[in-house]
Amino acid sequence: MNSRGHSLFPIIVLLLLAGVSVWLDRVTQQEETVRADKSQHEPDFTADKLTLRRFDLTGKTQYILVADRMVHFGDDESTELTRPRLDYLNRPEPVRMESDFATVSKDGETVVLNDNVYLRRAAQPGKPESTLRTERMTVWPDDEKMRSDAPVTLTQGKTVVTADRMESDNIVGNIRLQGQVRGTLYRNTPTPKP
């Protein structure tokens, strides 16, 4: 009887090894299936009250990005921002951009602002405050460039201009309006000389 138990021992061990092998194979296949399923666009992390500061080569703050909420998605490395505000501080006149919602590209170089996009350039001596309103705008923060394929309304003091599309380079100071461009232009009143 004892020899019969010894002869069954290798068979029992082989059956256990086969069972464990089948189990491991099934478990690893299920994990690969879950990892390969990128159709689920679910956040992998979120943050509330986000503040991001970008510095130029001299160490001065170039811009500050603030958002009420940030949601990052691991499947496509995209980021969504709720109520983002972007303040450029390295200009003679500070500039603020804000919207209700924004998406940030994988590399962080492109920001698409959506819904109630508003830009405000502070007034300077001899130059009144400037604003821009649109529903959608693409911004390249590091290059300080913007483009909107949606209608825009620009104001500077009492001057009001509307256009179907716009491109802007903040560093150079160029704005290019396209499509149906209409406006009422007012001259700045020169400062009287004493």
Side-chain angles (χ1 to χ4, degrees), residues 27-69:
V27 168
T28 57
Q29 283 180 2
Q30 286 176 346
E31 287 178 8
E32 288 174 8
T33 303
V34 170
R35 279 191 219 130
D37 184 15
K38 292 192 176 190
S39 64
Q40 296 179 0
H41 190 63
E42 295 181 6
D44 57 354
F45 69 88
T46 62
D48 291 325
K49 308 293 183 196
L50 172 79
T51 301
L52 172 74
R53 296 176 191 275
R54 170 75 176 198
F55 299 94
D56 64 15
L57 296 174
T58 65
K60 289 184 178 179
T61 303
Q62 183 178 2
Y63 64 80
I64 299 173
L65 174 65
V66 177
D68 289 354
R69 184 169 178 78

Side-chain angles (χ1 to χ4, degrees), residues 4-142:
R4 193 173 196 202
H6 287 295
S7 63
L8 289 177
F9 181 73
I11 295 172
I12 293 172
V13 170
L14 284 174
L15 286 173
L16 282 173
L17 283 173
V20 169
S21 296
V22 169
W23 177 76
L24 281 173
D25 183 50
R26 286 186 181 171
V27 168
T28 57
Q29 283 180 2
Q30 286 176 346
E31 287 178 8
E32 288 174 8
T33 303
V34 170
R35 279 191 219 130
D37 184 15
K38 292 192 176 190
S39 64
Q40 296 179 0
H41 190 63
E42 295 181 6
D44 57 354
F45 69 88
T46 62
D48 291 325
K49 308 293 183 196
L50 172 79
T51 301
L52 172 74
R53 296 176 191 275
R54 170 75 176 198
F55 299 94
D56 64 15
L57 296 174
T58 65
K60 289 184 178 179
T61 303
Q62 183 178 2
Y63 64 80
I64 299 173
L65 174 65
V66 177
D68 289 354
R69 184 169 178 78
M70 179 194 80
V71 180
H72 182 268
F73 297 91
D75 61 336
D76 63 357
E77 295 296 319
S78 66
T79 303
E80 295 178 352
L81 301 172
T82 303
R83 299 251 326 115
R85 281 122 20 231
L86 183 65
D87 290 313
Y88 284 103
L89 304 174
N90 65 343
R91 312 280 307 158
E93 63 279 355
V95 175
R96 169 171 271 202
M97 300 177 77
E98 57 188 58
S99 69
D100 291 343
F101 185 77
T103 55
V104 182
S105 66
K106 177 180 176 178
D107 57 10
E109 293 183 10
T110 306
V111 178
V112 179
L113 301 168
N114 287 295
D115 302 328
N116 298 315
V117 178
Y118 178 70
L119 180 141
R120 179 186 170 274
R121 184 183 308 258
Q124 271 202 303
K127 201 175 191 182
E129 175 184 272
S130 300
T131 66
L132 180 146
R133 291 185 184 275
T134 186
E135 284 303 307
R136 185 176 53 260
M137 180 173 292
T138 303
V139 180
W140 294 270
D142 293 343

